[in-house]
Amino acid sequence: MIAIQEYAVRRQQLLAQLEDNVLCIVPAAREVTRSRDTEFPFRQDSDFYYLTGFNEPDAVLVMEKSQGKSVSLLFCRERDPHAEIWHGRRLGPERAVAALGVDAAFSLSQLEEEVLVRANGKSRLVFAQGADEALDNMLFSTLAQLRSAPKKGYIAPKLMQDIRPAVHSLRHIKSAAEIQLMRRAAEISCQAHIRAMQFCAPGRYEYQLEAELHHEFAMQGARYPAYGTIVGSGINACILHYTENQDELQAGDLVLIDAGAELCGYAADITRTFPVSGQFSPEQAQLYQLVLDAQLAAFQHIHPGGTLPQAMDAAARVLTQGLIQLGILQGELQDNIQSQHYRDYFMHGIGHWLGLDVHDVGDYKRDGEDQPLVPGMVLTIEPGLYISDLAEVEAKWRGIGIRIEDNLLVTADGYENLTAACPKHIADIERLMATR
């Protein structure tokens, strides 16, 4: 868990990035109807959670900075014994200050009145325009009131500023507490993948592997996956975001699992590809080893000062050279790289940032240049090869989809592979599956 003091520090760091005399507003997520009178499981807005650690819907964080001093206010639902019988406990404004470390807390019904008072005389209003229509409408109404009544002494903020760049720059570099949570999310996810490998057998179904994964997540305290779990066997592995997970596992096929647990809001994101029957065919092994070699080449560029495009270039070179050697690509290495012919079989990027969102916030460019890696960043590295059943290659290569994905923490002298415990070398996978 993350201490409430860390959330207070984050709020101070955010306000330190902003000019004086500002009012910042960050809303929580809202419950979303699934059907009629039932809702989807609630998932908090990541920016709001990063700044508060509060996991209830229908709340708003208001931060005020004036004359170098700052204050943090929470507006949330009131305690309601009747509602709590039906829908669960609420923190309530009375307990929010002690529980969350904010300076004051109010009923959500007081939000509009308080914002009107606190926005008066501020030079700018800082919020995520367009992210929450109801909040936008309330703030625009407040601005209209301030602009329309100068005789009351009202002075409306003259500028509106997007809060997201400032919050996201903080979220991009993980604290020690965040890293510990991400390590644990990775550990749970590794154990779930191992469980799926040991359960896998011809005649079972993709959704049964999904169930094994989710069971392991939940049994270890990660109740939900971080994203839609992908279990694609055979040709389904060539669909990058395949989530139907309904087909029977066939002997001789590979199965690609892309799955990660979410723990206290933080995501893991692992992909492993392995043989349904426990042993790779010669063709599967050749393509698999090629993807693994590409990943290991990309790893060499994960260090302070390295960049994701450098990792991509290294992986692309290995993949291209290997595809030429296998006869899947024709011609000279450099010509193929320049023409990006490997893109016929490797369509996505080499990786992405990871954190409170599985595709986490953070710039990939800075001042027009590739974002250099710095310690505290967490990212995925995930090369793949996907040769559809319609590809104009030898029949022995068709219908094979492979991806290998790990989660890397950038350290002062390189990286830490948070998901190294999940087997990915051919011999290790086959040895594990032999113990089924």
Side-chain angles (χ1 to χ4, degrees), residues 128-147:
Q129 301 99 314
D132 185 308
E133 184 178 1
L135 181 67
D136 284 356
N137 291 338
M138 187 272 284
L139 293 177
F140 295 150
S141 174
T142 299
L143 289 172
Q145 291 183 64
L146 293 173
R147 290 167 180 156

Side-chain angles (χ1 to χ4, degrees), residues 144-187:
Q145 291 183 64
L146 293 173
R147 290 167 180 156
S148 66
K151 290 182 180 180
K152 293 183 178 180
Y154 286 168
I155 302 173
K158 293 180 172 61
L159 298 173
M160 290 190 294
Q161 180 178 341
D162 189 352
I163 198 170
R164 285 165 289 198
V167 179
H168 295 176
S169 69
L170 294 175
R171 284 179 53 189
H172 200 182
I173 308 300
K174 274 55 181 180
S175 70
E178 289 179 293
I179 290 167
Q180 280 300 101
L181 282 174
M182 295 191 72
R183 279 199 187 100
R184 182 58 185 147
E187 289 172 1

Side-chain angles (χ1 to χ4, degrees), residues 102-332:
V102 292
D103 297 301
F106 304 89
S107 166
L108 191 63
S109 63
Q110 297 173 267
L111 175 66
E112 192 164 357
E113 178 183 352
E114 284 289 331
V115 168
L116 178 67
V117 171
R118 294 175 184 277
N120 182 29
K122 294 295 187 294
S123 59
R124 67 182 65 202
L125 191 59
V126 185
F127 67 105
Q129 301 99 314
D132 185 308
E133 184 178 1
L135 181 67
D136 284 356
N137 291 338
M138 187 272 284
L139 293 177
F140 295 150
S141 174
T142 299
L143 289 172
Q145 291 183 64
L146 293 173
R147 290 167 180 156
S148 66
K151 290 182 180 180
K152 293 183 178 180
Y154 286 168
I155 302 173
K158 293 180 172 61
L159 298 173
M160 290 190 294
Q161 180 178 341
D162 189 352
I163 198 170
R164 285 165 289 198
V167 179
H168 295 176
S169 69
L170 294 175
R171 284 179 53 189
H172 200 182
I173 308 300
K174 274 55 181 180
S175 70
E178 289 179 293
I179 290 167
Q180 280 300 101
L181 282 174
M182 295 191 72
R183 279 199 187 100
R184 182 58 185 147
E187 289 172 1
I188 293 170
S189 301
C190 287
Q191 291 164 20
H193 277 261
I194 290 170
R195 176 174 175 154
M197 289 182 192
Q198 292 177 316
F199 178 82
C200 183
R204 289 179 172 159
Y205 285 81
E206 293 167 344
Y207 56 76
Q208 292 177 312
L209 293 185
E210 179 183 34
E212 293 290 315
L213 291 156
H214 292 185
H215 183 271
E216 190 69 23
F217 293 168
M219 288 297 290
Q220 299 207 44
R223 285 191 59 202
Y224 302 109
Y227 52 95
T229 295
I230 296 169
V231 182
S233 60
I235 191 61
N236 294 336
C238 294
I239 302 171
L240 300 183
H241 290 162
Y242 173 82
T243 54
E244 284 83 356
N245 302 348
Q246 63 186 5
D247 288 352
E248 184 178 356
L249 305 176
Q250 303 294 327
D253 280 350
L254 296 179
V255 58
L256 183 156
I257 294 180
D258 187 338
E262 181 178 279
L263 182 68
C264 298
Y266 288 85
D269 184 4
I270 303 174
T271 307
R272 290 294 186 263
T273 310
F274 52 92
V276 170
S277 301
Q279 287 194 312
F280 291 87
S281 73
E283 291 77 20
Q284 291 167 350
Q286 287 177 291
L287 289 175
Y288 184 93
Q289 188 62 48
L290 180 53
V291 174
L292 181 56
D293 290 344
Q295 190 197 42
L296 297 176
F299 281 4
Q300 300 306 306
H301 297 275
I302 307 305
H303 54 74
T307 68
L308 271 174
Q310 290 172 350
M312 179 67 174
D313 290 345
R317 178 169 288 273
V318 171
L319 290 173
T320 302
Q321 180 68 65
L323 290 171
I324 291 171
Q325 291 174 348
L326 295 175
I328 296 171
L329 291 179
Q330 310 297 323
E332 297 298 320

Side-chain angles (χ1 to χ4, degrees), residues 392-409:
E392 295 181 0
V393 298
E394 290 183 75
K396 65 181 180 179
W397 305 119
R398 293 180 197 147
I400 297 177
I402 298 166
R403 182 165 65 252
I404 307 171
E405 179 180 23
D406 282 295
N407 305 166
L408 305 187
L409 165 68

Side-chain angles (χ1 to χ4, degrees), residues 333-363:
L333 174 62
Q334 202 57 37
D335 291 341
N336 273 281
I337 290 174
Q338 289 179 347
S339 300
Q340 295 192 342
H341 289 151
Y342 65 88
R343 282 297 193 185
D344 291 341
Y345 310 109
F346 175 34
M347 308 84 173
H348 55 79
I350 192 63
H352 55 79
W353 310 127
L354 188 66
L356 278 170
D357 295 309
V358 67
H359 289 170
D360 206 30
V361 297
D363 293 332

